[in-house]
Amino acid sequence: MPPVFPMLTVLSMFYYMCLRRRARTATRGEMNSRRAIESNTRALPINVEIVQYAKEVLDFSSHYGSENSMSYTMWNLAGIPNVYPSSGDFTQTAVFRTYGTWWDHCPSARLPFKRTPPTFCSQDYVELAFEEPVYPTAVHILETYHPGAVVRILACSANPYSQNPPAEVRWEILWSEPPTKVNGPQARQFTPCIKQINFPTNLIRLEVNSSLLDYYTELDAVVLHGVKERPVLSLKSSMIDMNDIDEDEDEEKYGCGMDTLNKPFSIVTLREWPTNGYFDKLPYELIQLILSHLTVPDLCRLAQTCKLLYQHCCDPLQYIHLSLQPYWARINDTSLEYLQSRCTLIQWLNLSWTGNRGAISVSGFSRFLKVCGSELVRLELSCGHFLNETCLEVITEMCPNLQELNLSSCDKIPPQAFNHIAKVGSLKRLVLYRTKVEQTALLSILNFCSELQHLSLGSCVMIEDYDLIASMMGAKCKKLRSLDLWRCKNITESGIAELASGCQLLEELDLGWCPTLQSSTGCFTNLARKLPNLQKLFLTANRSVCDTDIEELAANCTHLRQLDILGTRMVSPASLRKLLESCKDLSLLDVSFCSQIDNRVVLELNANFPNVFIKKSFTQ
């Protein structure tokens, strides 16, 4: 009698292939339903589920609140809920800095990078630490106002409370979907079906996209459910881990298949064919054009097929513009070394969110820029917590043509390091939001970087005298088009007067949450008269804004597109009608918490001016 084991092996392989094919064609809902069914067959007696709220907020990309307060800050995500199940606008929640598409349609908007994979749509993130590492079984997100912004949930293998950092840090996607439009701003508990992972975690990352929202999303708390021991499938259900089946699918779907950048590869291993088929008949430039539509991981994979395509995929012309932000979880020193020879002509480079927890070293970053920095015009380094003074010194020395530098939320850079930026006299855009830049360094930058057109100083709390800064801008930065002074605590009418007199090309000005500005001094009317090109003006939370200010804007700033006067008590419906009649291009008007503008007035204005989004927030 022939042995049965070979036949069993063949049947097992066939069963595995069927499951794999079904897994690749199934919807994520079907996959999660199948996992849920299988989980019911697991042995449960010794694996009790642990439920825990976030212990600490470790990192985030932006928030609406102040660095010296708890109102509207990401730190509100730690601990038990403050608001839920109530709905509305509450200061005790976590709120990101932007919403909608308004920020993409103002003078300071930056051009997008090509080759960004369509599956990557994250705009902001927050990382949360929990007390106990667990194998996640569920994640509950308590959203209290305008839900629907969360697009991705990830888990990290590193324990932030461990004394011994791991040699390798892994991030796994638990859930990911495109942004969705949720009907209504009411509170909800969001509990997506998450993927099972093969390591315990107490570090969860939420990534959000608020582009479809009508107002700021507000998050109250995050609840992590999990078990201490890894769930094991019972022998009665299946010997195949469903996690393993769709692992490759997830890597491709979410654009994180960057392992090819971290493995040594040589052209010597490629076979040279006697003919390259139709590729031999195509002009070199046409092949380059075709390849320009591929994402970076696809280029790296294609380079391993044959010598001809290897040469095309490694051509520096394919890497003139390079964004590595979508692959932040996989980028490290090895990746930069692998790309180094391909990026000798690079002009735009996006390393935002990359390199944290030791993934990119100062020496690795410096080596890359010394080879690839000479042609750089734009450098995006938002949330790059590996950056220090040495890195800024290397940037200023190796990038003589640099025109745009984004250091948003790089809060680990020491104050004295910013002095180096003054050496880059060609700068046209500088983003220092949520950094520790000090007054002396900033004065030096303004003095030597007279070509500046866009400057962001939002939430820069270490600047002592914003009047002096504004005076220097008025004297030196005549080409300034956009200026972000969000939450600067000490600018007065004197600084505003100097700014308005010297920077008359300004098209965008954010003075939100600047409490020292008072309408009675005439500072806002002075702005309206001196800055006729204004397209965006944020006077958020300034309760002194009055009808006179609005009427001056209507008379002088007819190109106005966005106006935020949230919180004022002094503006009447009549002045708003004058503004709307005069400013034909106005698309956003935020009158939330304006005591004279009730819902009836908003409905009337919406009916008469349907092209304007008039926002009226509420609290229950």
Side-chain angles (χ1 to χ4, degrees):
M1 179 178 178
V4 297
F5 295 107
M7 181 58 69
L8 288 176
T9 302
V10 171
L11 290 174
S12 299
M13 291 178 62
F14 178 75
Y15 178 54
Y16 171 81
M17 291 172 63
C18 291
L19 283 175
R20 185 178 180 87
R21 176 174 296 179
R22 184 179 177 190
R24 287 192 176 278
T25 57
T27 64
R28 185 146 309 269
E30 292 171 339
M31 290 291 294
N32 287 319
S33 298
R34 188 157 64 249
R35 290 193 184 109
I37 293 171
E38 290 170 349
S39 66
N40 293 331
T41 66
R42 298 187 174 99
L44 297 177
I46 62 173
N47 221 4
V48 178
E49 188 174 60
I50 298 173
V51 179
Q52 50 187 332
Y53 291 96
K55 177 182 179 181
E56 184 181 358
V57 177
L58 298 180
D59 188 23
F60 54 91
S61 55
S62 78
H63 59 182
Y64 186 89
S66 167
E67 301 303 296
N68 301 320
S69 171
M70 289 297 291
S71 297
Y72 297 123
T73 64
M74 287 298 119
W75 299 304
N76 285 320
L77 276 176
I80 63 175
N82 298 308
V83 174
Y84 187 85
S86 298
S87 298
D89 191 334
F90 290 91
T91 61
Q92 303 95 322
T93 57
V95 184
F96 291 98
R97 175 79 191 273
T98 64
Y99 74 95
T101 59
W102 313 110
W103 279 258
D104 297 328
H105 299 100
C106 54
S108 63
R110 284 162 282 183
L111 293 174
F113 276 77
K114 297 178 181 179
R115 280 195 167 132
T116 300
T119 52
F120 180 78
C121 56
S122 304
Q123 297 173 333
D124 277 296
Y125 73 86
V126 58
E127 292 180 3
L128 306 168
F130 296 79
E131 183 71 35
E132 295 288 338
V134 295
Y135 292 91
T137 56
V139 176
H140 302 314
I141 304 170
L142 306 184
E143 304 172 279
T144 55
Y145 198 38
H146 288 279
V150 177
V151 294
R152 202 153 72 149
I153 305 173
L154 301 98
C156 185
S157 62
N159 184 342
Y161 301 121
S162 173
Q163 299 297 322
N164 302 313
E168 179 186 6
V169 176
R170 291 176 54 197
W171 285 93
E172 287 289 339
I173 298 171
L174 299 180
W175 170 88
S176 180
E177 290 291 343
T180 56
K181 180 76 171 180
V182 177
N183 293 326
Q186 287 74 25
R188 71 169 185 178
Q189 175 179 292
F190 179 52
T191 308
C193 296
I194 63 173
K195 166 187 171 182
Q196 294 179 6
I197 56 176
N198 59 9
F199 58 82
T201 183
N202 61 338
L203 175 51
I204 296 294
R205 174 175 170 129
L206 308 182
E207 294 184 358
V208 304
N209 181 311
S210 304
S211 62
L212 298 182
L213 301 186
D214 291 335
Y215 205 58
Y216 299 94
T217 190
E218 299 191 7
L219 310 179
D220 193 14
V222 176
V223 192
L224 174 63
H225 292 236
V227 292
K228 295 292 289 184
E229 300 295 331
R230 184 183 181 187
V232 179
L233 289 172
S234 70
L235 293 176
K236 294 181 180 179
S237 60
S238 174
M239 294 295 291
I240 300 173
D241 190 346
M242 301 301 291
N243 248 3
D244 298 332
I245 290 179
D246 69 344
E247 183 176 0
D248 294 336
E249 176 195 10
D250 284 344
E251 290 294 308
E252 296 173 8
K253 177 177 178 181
Y254 301 123
C256 292
M258 293 295 287
D259 290 337
T260 48
L261 288 182
N262 303 326
K263 298 176 182 177
F265 179 73
S266 172
I267 191 174
V268 178
T269 62
L270 293 174
R271 180 176 178 181
E272 187 166 8
W273 299 90
T275 175
N276 294 302
Y278 288 110
F279 280 104
D280 284 334
K281 300 180 179 181
L282 295 178
Y284 188 91
E285 293 79 5
L286 183 55
I287 299 177
Q288 286 286 295
L289 179 61
I290 295 172
L291 298 188
S292 69
H293 295 278
L294 297 180
T295 63
V296 177
D298 289 338
L299 271 182
C300 296
R301 295 186 188 104
L302 189 62
Q304 301 181 25
T305 56
C306 67
K307 288 187 176 181
L308 174 69
L309 292 179
Y310 178 89
Q311 293 169 354
H312 278 283
C313 292
C314 294
D315 192 319
L317 292 175
Q318 288 289 337
Y319 301 86
I320 299 295
H321 294 179
L322 177 62
S323 176
L324 297 178
Q325 183 180 4
Y327 321 107
W328 61 266
R330 305 297 178 93
I331 299 300
N332 54 30
D333 282 349
T334 305
S335 310
L336 295 184
E337 184 177 357
Y338 181 95
L339 288 167
Q340 195 167 285
S341 62
R342 307 183 182 196
C343 295
T344 53
L345 299 178
I346 190 169
Q347 297 177 6
W348 288 14
L349 176 61
N350 186 359
L351 286 174
S352 294
W353 301 5
T354 65
N356 299 332
R357 294 184 174 82
I360 294 179
S361 65
V362 172
S363 58
F365 177 77
S366 301
R367 284 194 303 270
F368 183 82
L369 277 196
K370 286 176 181 178
V371 175
C372 308
S374 60
E375 301 297 324
L376 265 182
V377 174
R378 177 179 175 184
L379 182 57
E380 304 281 340
L381 296 170
S382 173
C383 305
H385 301 312
F386 66 92
L387 295 170
N388 62 9
E389 184 171 3
T390 300
C391 294
L392 288 196
E393 187 174 7
V394 170
I395 290 171
T396 58
E397 291 178 358
M398 297 295 120
C399 307
N401 299 308
L402 196 62
Q403 296 181 11
E404 301 187 23
L405 178 60
N406 181 3
L407 298 175
S408 172
S409 292
C410 293
D411 54 1
K412 301 294 190 295
I413 301 177
Q416 71 275 7
F418 293 94
N419 285 295
H420 293 288
I421 298 176
K423 303 172 188 175
V424 190
S426 57
L427 273 182
K428 294 183 178 180
R429 182 191 301 272
L430 179 60
V431 182
L432 297 177
Y433 168 72
R434 289 191 66 238
T435 62
K436 295 178 180 176
V437 62
E438 288 183 332
Q439 185 165 301
T440 303
L442 185 55
L443 288 172
S444 180
I445 292 170
L446 296 175
N447 186 45
F448 291 102
C449 301
S450 58
E451 298 296 313
L452 275 175
Q453 296 180 17
H454 305 281
L455 178 61
S456 174
L457 300 175
S459 293
C460 291
V461 297
M462 300 188 71
I463 297 173
E464 300 170 353
D465 187 351
Y466 268 100
D467 281 346
L468 183 58
I469 297 299
S471 178
M472 179 65 80
M473 291 180 201
K476 295 291 185 178
C477 302
K478 303 292 185 180
K479 299 180 181 180
L480 207 59
R481 293 180 53 212
S482 73
L483 176 61
D484 178 10
L485 295 178
W486 174 264
R487 291 191 180 274
C488 76
K489 293 297 184 183
N490 51 40
I491 193 169
T492 68
E493 67 276 5
S494 174
I496 291 296
E498 296 278 356
L499 182 68
S501 297
C503 303
Q504 296 190 3
L505 297 180
L506 271 174
E507 300 173 353
E508 176 180 343
L509 182 58
D510 194 333
L511 295 172
W513 295 88
C514 295
T516 50
L517 293 176
Q518 293 297 316
S519 173
S520 58
T521 64
C523 58
F524 300 136
T525 58
N526 188 33
L527 277 178
R529 293 168 183 170
K530 293 286 184 65
L531 303 177
N533 298 315
L534 273 181
Q535 297 180 28
K536 173 183 173 180
L537 179 61
F538 275 28
L539 302 175
T540 316
N542 192 304
R543 300 185 185 278
S544 69
V545 176
C546 63
D547 283 345
T548 303
D549 303 319
I550 301 300
E551 290 169 2
E552 287 289 344
L553 288 172
N556 298 286
C557 302
T558 55
H559 301 296
L560 202 61
R561 295 175 179 270
Q562 301 179 27
L563 177 63
D564 186 342
I565 53 172
L566 175 149
T568 182
R569 302 169 179 171
M570 313 291 290
V571 173
S572 67
S575 64
L576 287 185
R577 290 189 190 96
K578 291 181 182 179
L579 179 77
L580 292 165
E581 290 169 356
S582 176
C583 301
K584 303 297 184 183
D585 297 328
L586 197 65
S587 57
L588 170 64
L589 177 60
D590 193 337
V591 292
S592 299
F593 303 110
C594 294
S595 55
Q596 295 191 44
I597 313 299
D598 57 24
N599 288 333
R600 179 187 59 79
V601 173
V602 171
L603 290 174
E604 176 195 335
L605 294 176
N606 274 325
N608 294 327
F609 304 95
N611 295 328
V612 184
F613 178 77
I614 302 175
K615 180 58 188 175
K616 177 71 174 177
S617 185
F618 71 98
T619 300
Q620 287 185 349

